[in-house]
Amino acid sequence: MAGELVVFLGPTLRRAEAAEILDAVYLPPAEQGSVVRAVRTYSPRAIVLIDGSFATAPAVRHKEILWALAKGIPVFGAASMGALRAAELAAVGMQGHGFIYRWYALTPMADDDEVAVAMCPPELGAAPLSEALINIRLTLRRAMRTGIVTAPERRALEAQARNMHFVDRSYARLLADARSTRIEESGGALDRLADWLPSGALDRKREDALGLLTKLARHPGLVLQRPDTPPFRLTEAWAYDLDAAGLWDDDIATILAGNSKMT
């Protein structure tokens, strides 16, 4: 149906919970070609990017977001891949929301790994299978402020979490590894942390996603504001990307190119 609001969502927030907040077409995490395919299928009035794939498939391209913006479609981002792309494309019209977006916007050299998590296949709901580093770091800082761990203990645990591969990150694994490597001798801090985590752990990604969906639900006029973007230029590299995503045919070439010159 034309004029839908399209949301790319995966491990950050359960689709059922999101749908209770915002009426939209919910699609699996975006990958290369997903934005073009969504525009072609739904003619959306706006696109919301929360989650994206990056390990099992090429990540959603900046160029396709630029193309959607140039067509007058507002694109919003938050929480995960959406926060990354919004921070990278804020200067050309993509709209970011939330703590993680602001942190990326203010931290140019920040690692994409901060928001990466392993997830189930989209066919199984794309549920998270690991914990995001940014959530772990914010949780450890909260634990330090509440006296659960000391500053040196927090730094040691944070370093250990950072050195883990993103698919292995979890609080259970972090605590087990910390005990096995004797990250602190008494074990008292790890015991306190283990007891505190079920009620004290933060999920900033989820909070940012909820915040953006709630904002759009409460202020529907936001999706009617046309983005101010520079003219779109179709590049040969992006044509190859579209072909790799199975999107390049005579019809899409006409839609994409319009009167623009390929460079």
Side-chain angles (χ1 to χ4, degrees):
M1 181 183 298
E4 296 280 8
L5 190 62
V6 169
V7 180
F8 292 101
L9 184 66
T12 295
L13 182 66
R14 290 187 304 109
R15 182 178 295 191
E17 187 174 5
E20 291 180 357
I21 298 170
L22 183 66
D23 183 23
V25 173
Y26 286 92
L27 300 178
E31 58 188 52
Q32 176 181 296
S34 291
V35 169
V36 173
R37 190 174 288 110
V39 171
R40 194 179 185 186
T41 303
Y42 299 101
S43 298
R45 66 181 187 273
I47 294 171
V48 180
L49 177 59
I50 302 294
D51 289 306
S53 297
F54 62 93
T56 58
V60 60
R61 297 301 197 229
H62 301 76
K63 192 71 174 179
E64 58 190 295
I65 296 173
L66 290 172
W67 173 71
L69 290 167
K71 288 179 67 66
I73 302 171
V75 183
F76 300 86
S80 192
M81 180 67 77
L84 281 169
R85 290 293 183 262
E88 293 159 345
L89 297 175
V92 290
M94 187 172 177
Q95 301 176 61
H97 173 87
F99 174 89
I100 296 173
Y101 157 70
R102 294 190 297 272
W103 179 72
Y104 270 118
L106 293 170
T107 315
M109 300 302 291
D111 198 329
D112 294 5
D113 178 63
E114 289 277 352
V115 294
V117 298
M119 61 182 175
C120 293
E123 296 80 6
L124 300 178
L129 298 174
S130 61
E131 187 61 70
L133 178 58
I134 195 163
N135 283 342
I136 292 174
R137 295 200 304 109
L138 291 171
T139 294
L140 291 174
R141 288 171 186 268
R142 184 182 188 187
M144 181 186 69
R145 291 194 300 271
T146 56
I148 303 299
V149 296
T150 64
E153 289 164 345
R154 189 270 301 169
R155 288 193 293 270
L157 286 165
E158 186 174 309
Q160 187 145 350
R162 188 178 294 280
N163 288 333
M164 297 169 69
H165 193 275
F166 77 90
V167 302
D168 297 324
R169 288 190 186 119
S170 69
Y171 291 113
R173 177 69 178 270
L174 177 62
L175 291 169
D177 286 357
R179 293 183 192 282
S180 67
T181 57
R182 302 176 69 84
I183 203 167
E184 52 88 34
E185 293 296 321
S186 68
L190 298 179
D191 291 338
R192 291 193 302 273
L193 185 60
D195 292 340
W196 174 85
L197 279 170
S199 61
L202 295 170
D203 190 346
R204 189 71 249 189
K205 289 179 63 176
R206 179 179 182 276
E207 292 174 18
D208 283 2
L210 285 171
L212 176 54
L213 298 183
T214 300
K215 179 180 178 180
L216 294 175
R218 290 178 177 174
H219 305 284
L222 290 173
V223 303
L224 302 177
Q225 299 174 7
R226 302 295 92 182
D228 182 16
T229 61
F232 179 80
R233 298 187 69 181
L234 178 62
T235 62
E236 186 175 0
W238 193 45
Y240 284 128
D241 285 344
L242 292 169
D243 188 42
L247 284 167
W248 192 262
D249 55 32
D250 291 342
D251 181 41
I252 198 66
T254 301
I255 293 172
L256 291 172
N259 296 322
S260 64
K261 180 180 179 181
M262 187 178 294
T263 59

